[in-house]
Amino acid sequence: LDLAHPVAVAAMVGMAVVTSLATLPTDASGGFASFRNAIGPYFGGQVGFAVITIAAWLAHLGEALYGVKCAVALGLPASSVLLWFVVVLLCGFPMLRHLRKMKIPGS
């Protein structure tokens, strides 16, 4: 499990930024609010950010559930299955790809 992999880090940072853009109060001030207000028109404003955030989290949830299926098929213990669920939920495909490369013991 390599959570320090650049693509995994980028995925986690991206999810954090998208979620923050969608949940930041509209009357907020500061650098991040200015950034959101500057790029907002290109993404449909607050509603656009919310739609993108919901779609991204649903995609990651689907990937995480598929990751559970893969981890169970590998015969991993429940604690490892839970860990893979959380990691894939946060990072998405970059970590799911690693899980899919794992081989079933004895095969």
Side-chain angles (χ1 to χ4, degrees), residues 50-65:
V51 169
I52 292 167
T53 300
I54 290 168
W57 279 112
L58 287 174
H60 279 232
L61 178 61
E63 291 167 336
L65 292 172

Side-chain angles (χ1 to χ4, degrees), residues 13-56:
V13 169
M15 289 299 288
V17 168
V18 167
T19 301
S20 298
L21 289 170
T23 58
L24 190 67
T26 54
D27 61 349
S29 61
F32 199 71
S34 297
F35 172 69
R36 187 211 40 217
N37 294 338
I39 66 170
Y42 301 104
F43 293 95
Q46 196 71 16
V47 173
F49 287 135
V51 169
I52 292 167
T53 300
I54 290 168

Side-chain angles (χ1 to χ4, degrees), residues 3-4 7 13 21 28 37 48 69 75 77-78 87 90 92 103:
L3 290 178
V7 177
V13 169
L21 289 170
N37 294 338
K69 179 183 175 202
V87 167
L90 294 176
K103 301 290 181 204

